[in-house]
Amino acid sequence: MLRTIFFYPALLISLIITYFLEIKVKFLTNKGDIKKRMIYIHKVTNTWAKFVMKIAGAKVSIVGLENLPINQTVLFVSNHQSNFDIPLLLGYLDIPKGFIAKKELASWPFISTWMKHINCIFMDRDNLRKSAQSIVEGINLLKSGNSMVIFPEGTRSKGKPVNEFKGGSFKLALKSKCLIVPLTINGTYKLLEENNNKIKGANIELVIHPPIDVTKLGKEELEHLPETVHSIISSTYKSYEGIQ
């Protein structure tokens, strides 16, 4: 209970601070210094995300850091357990990247502004036409060199087994011909969802799997790509105790 009482005021204060940090983003934008702007935005979001995980009581361990591609455009494909998945990946995958996120996040004060700065795409999964538009937008971002993260389950599992992956998500990599890096998240649901939305400290594990080069896959391998990536992510997944 004490952690919950402390967490939300600390989160609000941190978001207010980021509001003032945005002044430099506007300055660099007006100056036309795109590189410094990108570095600054990454530094702010990375630091903020680590702070959020720390005040939530998360103890994060990373497995497979050597599998993280350097200086390459990547589509990170991850399972989705919790609302803490985005800050986890923002803080502990130390490369600039955007997210394919649910449309509701676009209306969150402070947070939505920085999500737009890192080239997040807000997807309306209930509207097929708008979902298709979001995929096209994501493909264009990847083609222009912006790495992205997608949660192809489409909803949080909250510790249950990994849900079926939506095949359309993989068009992002197939059309842009970028690398896919599967990610397995273990334990983020223990921070919030398992506790009736009360914050509780927990051990979190992030597994980074070896990259998949879609340009080297045969026709049959491409057809089964969603199932293959699902299998890779599930291979190191730890379900909620008692759930099979």
Side-chain angles (χ1 to χ4, degrees):
M1 180 61 75
L2 287 176
R3 188 178 295 278
T4 303
I5 293 172
F6 171 76
F7 177 82
Y8 289 104
L11 176 64
L12 179 59
I13 291 170
S14 72
L15 289 172
I16 292 172
I17 291 172
T18 64
Y19 174 80
F20 292 102
L21 294 177
E22 194 186 346
I23 294 172
K24 186 170 180 178
V25 176
K26 293 179 179 178
F27 170 76
L28 292 172
T29 302
N30 292 334
K31 190 179 177 182
D33 198 333
I34 305 302
K35 185 175 180 180
K36 282 187 178 180
R37 179 183 183 274
M38 182 184 70
I39 293 171
Y40 179 72
I41 289 171
H42 175 64
K43 182 179 179 180
V44 170
T45 54
N46 180 265
T47 302
W48 175 83
K50 283 185 175 178
F51 172 75
V52 169
M53 298 302 289
K54 184 176 181 179
I55 61 175
K59 296 180 179 179
V60 180
S61 62
I62 304 176
V63 178
L65 194 59
E66 69 279 3
N67 293 322
L68 195 62
I70 305 300
N71 298 324
Q72 294 188 67
T73 305
V74 176
L75 176 67
F76 293 101
V77 179
S78 176
N79 64 297
H80 192 17
Q81 286 193 326
S82 168
N83 286 327
F84 278 95
D85 292 344
I86 288 180
L88 170 70
L89 299 183
L90 263 181
Y92 293 90
L93 287 180
D94 193 14
I95 60 172
K97 61 203 163 295
F99 292 78
I100 307 290
K102 59 184 181 181
K103 66 173 183 177
E104 288 79 8
L105 289 175
S107 61
W108 285 25
F110 304 112
I111 290 177
S112 62
T113 298
W114 287 92
M115 291 187 76
K116 291 171 184 175
H117 285 330
I118 63 173
N119 294 318
C120 286
I121 296 170
F122 302 99
M123 178 180 283
D124 184 354
R125 295 186 183 275
D126 296 326
N127 187 310
L128 290 177
R129 182 178 62 82
K130 290 184 178 180
S131 292
Q133 289 176 347
S134 296
I135 293 295
V136 171
E137 187 178 348
I139 291 167
N140 290 334
L141 280 171
L142 288 162
K143 282 183 176 180
S144 64
N146 294 279
S147 293
M148 302 290 296
V149 177
I150 191 164
F151 303 108
E153 290 174 274
T155 187
R156 293 168 293 159
S157 65
K158 301 180 183 180
K160 296 179 181 179
V162 182
N163 292 311
E164 182 181 354
F165 285 174
K166 300 181 186 304
S169 303
F170 291 84
K171 290 180 181 179
L172 290 160
L174 298 178
K175 296 292 186 181
S176 65
K177 302 187 185 306
C178 71
L179 293 175
I180 289 177
V181 174
L183 303 173
T184 303
I185 294 174
N186 286 312
T188 49
Y189 70 96
K190 297 178 182 179
L191 296 170
L192 180 69
E193 285 81 357
E194 185 184 47
N195 316 310
N196 295 318
N197 293 326
K198 295 182 179 66
I199 305 295
K200 185 178 180 180
N203 293 321
I204 310 300
E205 181 184 63
L206 173 62
V207 182
I208 305 171
H209 297 277
I212 299 171
D213 187 346
V214 298
T215 64
K216 295 182 179 180
L217 299 181
K219 182 178 179 180
E220 186 173 346
E221 290 174 307
L222 291 173
E223 288 176 354
H224 295 286
L225 185 59
E227 293 84 1
T228 299
V229 176
H230 185 283
S231 178
I232 291 170
I233 291 172
S234 297
S235 68
T236 55
Y237 184 75
K238 300 169 185 176
S239 296
Y240 179 77
E241 186 177 350
I243 296 178
Q244 301 299 325

